[in-house]
Amino acid sequence: YLDQFGKTKVHTPICPFYGHPNPPAPCPCPLRQAWGSLDALIGRLRAAFEENGGKPETNPFGARAVRLYLREVRDLQSKARGISYEKKKRKRPPPQQPLPSPQGASATH
């Protein structure tokens, strides 16, 4: 869950709420920047570097170490909060049933 500054409560493995996405009570676990916010920030920095003349191959925000760090943060937060970051499959709408026609209604009383 998030506080007013957009930081995510990340439970430590010894916390009784570790792995629960909606803890029932407050706990002393640290607040961290949410993975999604961190990922978006790095993406903006990477784009700004290249928009201002930097070459993609020398972009420090696209370095392997940065990608590995982001993956580690995502995995730790997903385990700590009990939330899966697996890609979700899109649900297809169920096929619509044809509506019964008014002519087929019986008129017997």
Side-chain angles (χ1 to χ4, degrees):
Y1 56 96
L2 302 175
D3 72 356
Q4 72 265 24
F5 301 111
K7 296 203 176 185
T8 300
K9 174 76 77 166
V10 179
H11 301 285
T12 62
I14 60 170
C15 177
F17 304 135
Y18 183 83
H20 292 278
N22 298 309
C27 67
C29 292
L31 292 171
R32 307 269 186 203
Q33 188 67 39
W35 168 78
S37 301
L38 190 59
D39 186 48
L41 174 63
I42 296 295
R44 288 194 302 272
L45 289 169
R46 187 171 42 244
F49 180 87
E50 293 175 18
E51 286 170 3
N52 287 288
K55 295 184 170 140
E57 55 273 7
T58 61
N59 191 335
F61 304 107
R64 185 172 190 270
V66 173
R67 290 194 315 271
L68 291 174
Y69 175 74
L70 284 172
R71 186 177 308 145
E72 184 178 316
V73 169
R74 181 191 67 192
D75 292 347
L76 284 172
Q77 287 189 5
S78 68
K79 287 177 189 165
R81 297 178 60 228
I83 295 173
S84 171
Y85 281 110
E86 310 278 317
K87 284 190 175 180
K88 293 183 177 137
K89 291 182 180 176
R90 285 178 37 158
K91 290 183 182 176
R92 292 186 180 181
Q96 291 192 352
Q97 300 289 330
L99 294 173
S101 64
Q103 290 97 7
S106 73
T108 58
H109 290 265

